[in-house]
Amino acid sequence: METKTETLLKLIEQALNIAEQMRPELANPERLNNVVRVLQSIRTKTLIGQLEPSVGTSTFGLAREVADWVEPLDSPLLKVVGAIEEYYQTNF
């Protein structure tokens, strides 16, 4: 059985993999690069035990950021960052 941390890390890795697959399709990947940096930071904080608790209210702001520029809105990246946000809120 996976721990909460392992599950969150798997979701982050999934998002990073999707982001890398999207990179060649984007004319200007700067916003994607920002999302990747945030995901890497969250991963690092999670690994070293410094991820701040959500207390059911805090988010990373990833879903909003990705929704501002990704197309189509049913993009796999938007789905996985939404899953990260939801998992973080309910489990941390």
Side-chain angles (χ1 to χ4, degrees), residues 3-86:
T3 66
K4 292 176 185 179
T5 300
E6 290 170 335
T7 302
L8 181 61
L9 289 170
K10 280 188 176 183
L11 287 169
I12 292 168
E13 289 304 318
Q14 184 180 356
L16 288 168
N17 288 335
I18 292 169
E20 287 307 314
Q21 292 171 10
M22 290 177 64
R23 190 176 306 279
E25 300 169 11
L26 300 175
N28 183 2
E30 188 56 36
R31 293 188 87 173
L32 179 65
N33 293 340
N34 290 337
V35 170
V36 167
R37 280 191 289 275
V38 171
L39 287 166
Q40 290 170 336
S41 174
I42 295 166
R43 179 178 59 192
T44 299
K45 287 178 182 179
T46 301
L47 287 169
I48 62 176
Q50 293 184 348
L51 186 65
E52 293 185 25
S54 165
V55 194
T57 57
S58 296
T59 69
F60 300 120
L62 290 170
R64 180 178 298 176
E65 167 62 23
V66 173
D68 282 348
W69 58 266
V70 77
E71 288 185 18
L73 286 179
D74 66 346
S75 158
L77 181 61
L78 184 54
K79 288 179 183 178
V80 75
V81 296
I84 290 168
E85 297 281 18
E86 182 179 336

